[in-house]
Amino acid sequence: MLEIKNITMAVDDHGENKEILKGINIKFEPGKLYGITGPNGGGKTSLAKVIMGIYKPTEGHIYFDGEDITDLSITERARRGIAYAFQQPPRFKGLTVQDLLKIAKPDIDNNLLRKTLRDVGLCPEDYLERDLDASLSGGEIKRIEIAQVLVRNAKLSIFDEPEAGVDLWTIQKLIHIIMSNYKNNDKAIAIIITHNENVLPVCDEIILIKDGVVAAEGRPDEIWPLICDDIECKKRQECRGEMIYEIK
Amino acid sequence: MKLNNLDFDVLNAVANLKNIPSGAVNIRKDGEAVVRSSSSNIKISSHPEHGGLVVEIKPGTKNETVHVPVILTKPGMRDKVYNTFIVGEDAEVTIIAGCGIHNTSHSDSRHDGIHEIIVKKGARLKYAEKHYGQGEGKGKRILNPSTIIRIEEGASAELEMVQIKGVDDTFRSTVAYIGEKGSLKIIERLLTHGKQRAESDINIYIEGKDGNAQILSRSVAKDSSEQVFKASLTGKTSCFGHVECDAIIMDNAKIKSIPALIAEDSDAVMTHEAAIGKIAGEQLIKLMSLGLTEEEAVETILNGFLR
Ligand SMILES: Nc1ncnc2c1ncn2[C@@H]1O[C@H](COP(=O)(O)OP(=O)(O)OP(=O)(O)O)[C@@H](O)[C@H]1O
Ligand SMILES: [Mg+2]
């Protein structure tokens, strides 16, 4: 179980203290697949980074399997079973796809290496030896990032917009892989940060994050209408709003 | 003179040699050839005047390797040698050179190797030179290699020059002349740490039509070490040239990177890319999120970069 208790996080933005997360409380239970969604800049990635230990919260605590991990380093959290697939994975000169997968899972064998790549739609022959440098396309690097998290089989896996930049055909397959890995796994927690209307309905729970707070939380059938309304409503407001302002 | 375990440690570090290889070989230790043998296609002899090596590879020789490593183990040793390599027409060979110094004394050990390489018409050469130093004494380990290479019509050469550990001071000079449709690729890998200093000065002249040259340099400077990298490409005719120097800077190190392109013909196409920067924070974070410590993450990134 992962428990986020009253998490507040601020960054220094050109000398100004900018609050990004404002008192977040969420409980993530094993055996469930969570979808986190919400508008751009709402704080989804920041929350994922706080969980991974990349950002330090200014207030609040994080408990993982009963242990307070708030002060643990990234490395220590990784070793306790937290995995995070970056929204924007970095590139490396001189490290190959294979190297990175072996770092992610040191005891990986050849079969699993190849299977992992095939699962994310990459042909092992073409990719195992490829450098993780700028020569990989955006979608390719994204799939490798997902492969790394899948292969770790961690207690908690966070995927930050896994569908971004990935072609439609592969998205379906990716969703399927993530689902089959986590849907019936009663020990693991999976969190998918996404805007995808095919992914959200299959999650067990959806958390809507907006302006650094949890704006809504519940089953997809409860939350989905809210999101739809929100999107439509915003559009309506935008076009009417402009005219109203002009009249004023 | 026999080679002892320590000698093989150093030989292994510079030329991957655990024992004396078959085929053409010359091992120079403390200023003298201690092992020498020629093969039917590759003749190794001493120059009649200055005593340096003359390696002659017969035209058409295929898939042979010649090893010519140098080791210095005597404290305070100063060694200077002139070597000549002639790769015959249409030959395809690999030359493994390299120099290792073991110095535990307080006086400097120094090797100046001056190489002249001629790659004849249509030949293909791979040349690997690794530098390595070990020993705890205050005496410096100094290596100053100087290479002149001539690439004749349709010939090609790939030079791989690596210095990863233990050399305190190095000045490397490389000059190349490339003939018609000749091609040259220089790959440089360098790591300096402590108070080490390394300077590399490369001058390439593409003289023949449709000649081609590439310099790919990657280096890491740690602690308070200093590096200077100068690469100059001159295109005298229609040709293609590219210089790429990529450096990671750490701690209090200093790096100077000076690529130069000189085109003397309107059909010369030349480009360069130079970058100096720290290890990207995102890279460290990524590796740490896979369970590596920060130190392990740095090691992994540097090892990959210099591979
Ligand atoms: N290190 C930082 N320095 C300054 N501002 C930051 C930093 N990290 C995040 N922010 C800001 O915090 C806000 C939330 O960012 P975050 O990346 O968490 O959003 P998000 O919900 O993941 O958005 P998206 O859907 O676009 O990925 C944004 O306004 C962003 O600019
Ligand atoms: Mg985000």
Side-chain angles (χ1 to χ4, degrees):
Chain A
M1 170 132 103
L2 175 75
E3 202 177 346
I4 311 282
K5 264 199 165 152
N6 197 29
I7 285 290
T8 296
M9 198 272 295
V11 294
D12 180 63
D13 192 20
H14 301 94
E16 246 176 76
N17 195 48
K18 184 175 162 196
E19 235 180 38
I20 290 170
L21 300 177
K22 306 162 184 167
I24 298 226
N25 288 288
I26 314 173
K27 269 187 194 167
F28 296 95
E29 282 165 34
K32 282 193 176 173
L33 178 63
Y34 292 84
I36 296 185
T37 193
N40 293 140
K44 303 177 295 297
T45 296
S46 303
L47 178 63
K49 287 186 174 175
V50 166
I51 297 171
M52 190 70 243
I54 299 167
Y55 285 167
K56 292 268 165 264
T58 33
E59 256 177 71
H61 288 269
I62 305 173
Y63 300 91
F64 187 51
D65 287 345
E67 182 190 11
D68 186 346
I69 60 163
T70 320
D71 294 323
L72 294 190
S73 68
I74 302 172
T75 310
E76 288 165 316
R77 293 182 200 210
R79 289 179 181 176
R80 283 187 180 45
I82 301 181
Y84 172 46
F86 287 26
Q87 183 172 4
Q88 282 167 320
R91 292 162 189 273
F92 294 86
K93 279 184 186 158
L95 285 189
T96 62
V97 172
Q98 173 163 214
D99 292 333
L100 208 66
L101 288 173
K102 282 180 177 163
I103 294 168
K105 191 173 176 65
D107 60 348
I108 196 168
D109 63 21
N110 242 326
N111 280 337
L112 184 56
L113 256 178
R114 307 175 84 82
K115 180 185 175 300
T116 308
L117 282 181
R118 275 196 300 267
D119 278 353
V120 295
L122 299 175
C123 171
E125 269 68 34
D126 298 340
Y127 287 92
L128 277 173
E129 306 286 336
R130 274 288 287 276
D131 254 8
L132 286 163
D133 61 10
S135 73
L136 285 173
S137 80
E140 287 167 339
I141 196 110
K142 206 60 197 180
R143 295 188 210 186
I144 292 158
E145 184 71 6
I146 294 159
Q148 267 173 68
V149 167
L150 287 175
V151 79
R152 283 181 61 196
N153 210 356
K155 279 198 261 178
L156 167 64
S157 306
I158 308 171
F159 300 89
D160 200 341
E161 300 197 20
E163 77 278 9
V166 172
D167 58 70
L168 281 173
W169 182 83
T170 320
I171 290 176
Q172 293 304 324
K173 218 180 136 200
L174 277 182
I175 296 167
H176 177 78
I177 295 280
I178 294 177
M179 299 299 302
S180 61
N181 259 283
Y182 299 100
K183 198 74 186 183
N184 294 311
N185 182 340
D186 59 0
K187 292 192 184 62
I189 306 171
I191 302 174
I192 307 183
I193 299 174
T194 182
H195 302 289
N196 189 289
E197 74 256 34
N198 295 318
V199 180
L200 286 168
V202 289
C203 294
D204 296 308
E205 299 237 1
I206 297 181
I207 297 155
L208 179 64
I209 292 189
K210 228 160 111 177
D211 297 327
V213 297
V214 176
E217 192 179 354
R219 288 193 318 272
D221 57 311
E222 296 166 343
I223 302 298
W224 189 240
L226 289 178
I227 303 169
C228 291
D229 280 359
D230 208 40
I231 295 167
E232 271 184 38
C233 177
K234 229 191 206 157
K235 279 186 188 152
R236 243 178 271 147
Q237 261 179 359
E238 269 165 24
C239 50
R240 274 192 210 157
E242 273 175 24
M243 296 202 299
I244 292 167
Y245 286 123
E246 267 184 30
I247 294 164
K248 271 184 184 173
Chain B
M1 198 189 317
K2 276 260 178 154
L3 290 164
N4 58 37
N5 284 344
L6 179 73
D7 297 339
F8 274 110
D9 276 355
V10 180
L11 283 170
N12 192 24
V14 296
N16 254 327
L17 291 182
K18 289 179 185 66
N19 35 48
I20 292 168
S22 58
V25 55
N26 188 86
I27 300 175
R28 182 181 175 94
K29 178 181 169 183
D30 297 324
E32 280 173 63
V34 291
V35 173
R36 175 176 295 176
S37 63
S38 299
S39 74
S40 55
N41 291 323
I42 302 177
K43 185 179 142 208
I44 302 182
S45 57
S46 295
H47 192 279
E49 281 149 41
H50 52 65
L53 279 187
V54 180
V55 177
E56 289 165 280
I57 297 160
K58 272 195 193 156
T61 302
K62 300 278 176 207
N63 296 324
E64 276 198 49
T65 298
V66 47
H67 290 88
V68 288
V70 172
I71 56 178
L72 262 62
T73 57
K74 230 186 242 166
M77 183 75 199
R78 286 186 78 141
D79 183 26
K80 187 169 188 167
V81 65
Y82 296 85
N83 296 328
T84 309
F85 300 87
I86 301 159
V87 184
E89 285 187 15
D90 298 316
E92 282 176 28
V93 292
T94 302
I95 298 174
I96 312 266
C99 180
I101 300 181
H102 176 83
N103 182 7
T104 48
S105 78
H106 294 319
S107 43
D108 297 352
S109 293
R110 170 172 168 174
H111 175 79
D112 297 348
I114 297 135
H115 304 287
E116 184 173 8
I117 304 172
I118 300 163
V119 189
K120 297 274 191 188
K121 251 172 118 172
R124 288 158 165 267
L125 168 69
K126 271 198 161 185
Y127 177 90
E129 187 180 280
K130 224 186 234 179
H131 284 171
Y132 168 76
Q134 65 176 36
E136 291 306 313
K138 284 205 194 83
K140 284 190 174 170
R141 293 164 294 261
I142 305 168
L143 283 171
N144 295 327
S146 147
T147 306
I148 298 175
I149 179 162
R150 285 171 215 282
I151 295 173
E152 295 187 354
E153 194 184 323
S156 74
E158 186 178 311
L159 269 52
E160 193 185 325
M161 315 204 268
V162 180
Q163 179 176 313
I164 300 294
K165 225 182 140 191
V167 178
D168 298 301
D169 213 305
T170 185
F171 179 86
R172 178 200 294 280
S173 146
T174 311
V175 180
Y177 302 92
I178 302 173
E180 194 177 322
K181 293 201 172 103
S183 126
L184 171 67
K185 184 171 175 181
I186 297 182
I187 299 167
E188 215 179 18
R189 295 287 180 262
L190 176 67
L191 182 139
T192 53
H193 56 93
K195 292 196 171 81
Q196 295 175 350
R197 232 195 91 81
E199 181 163 347
S200 175
D201 198 342
I202 302 176
N203 285 284
I204 299 181
Y205 302 90
I206 310 177
E207 298 176 322
K209 214 169 159 321
D210 299 327
N212 171 337
Q214 273 184 80
I215 304 173
L216 307 170
S217 160
R218 281 194 188 167
S219 70
V220 175
K222 286 185 177 178
D223 306 326
S224 49
S225 63
E226 288 185 31
Q227 297 181 3
V228 181
F229 178 78
K230 289 185 200 156
S232 152
L233 265 181
T234 305
K236 293 181 177 288
T237 169
S238 93
C239 64
F240 170 81
H242 180 63
V243 184
E244 206 173 297
C245 24
D246 208 337
I248 293 180
I249 185 162
M250 300 169 73
D251 313 313
N252 300 309
K254 291 196 175 99
I255 300 179
K256 241 189 238 175
S257 181
I258 313 165
L261 303 177
I262 300 152
E264 296 178 359
D265 187 294
S266 61
D267 286 322
V269 178
M270 316 183 95
T271 50
H272 77 69
E273 276 173 55
I276 302 176
K278 295 198 280 215
I279 294 180
E282 285 286 295
Q283 293 181 336
L284 288 175
I285 290 170
K286 179 75 246 173
L287 296 183
M288 283 154 67
S289 78
L290 297 177
L292 299 192
T293 62
E294 188 169 349
E295 294 72 41
E296 287 166 343
V298 169
E299 276 294 306
T300 305
I301 292 166
L302 296 186
N303 286 342
F305 184 72
L306 292 174
R307 184 151 63 189

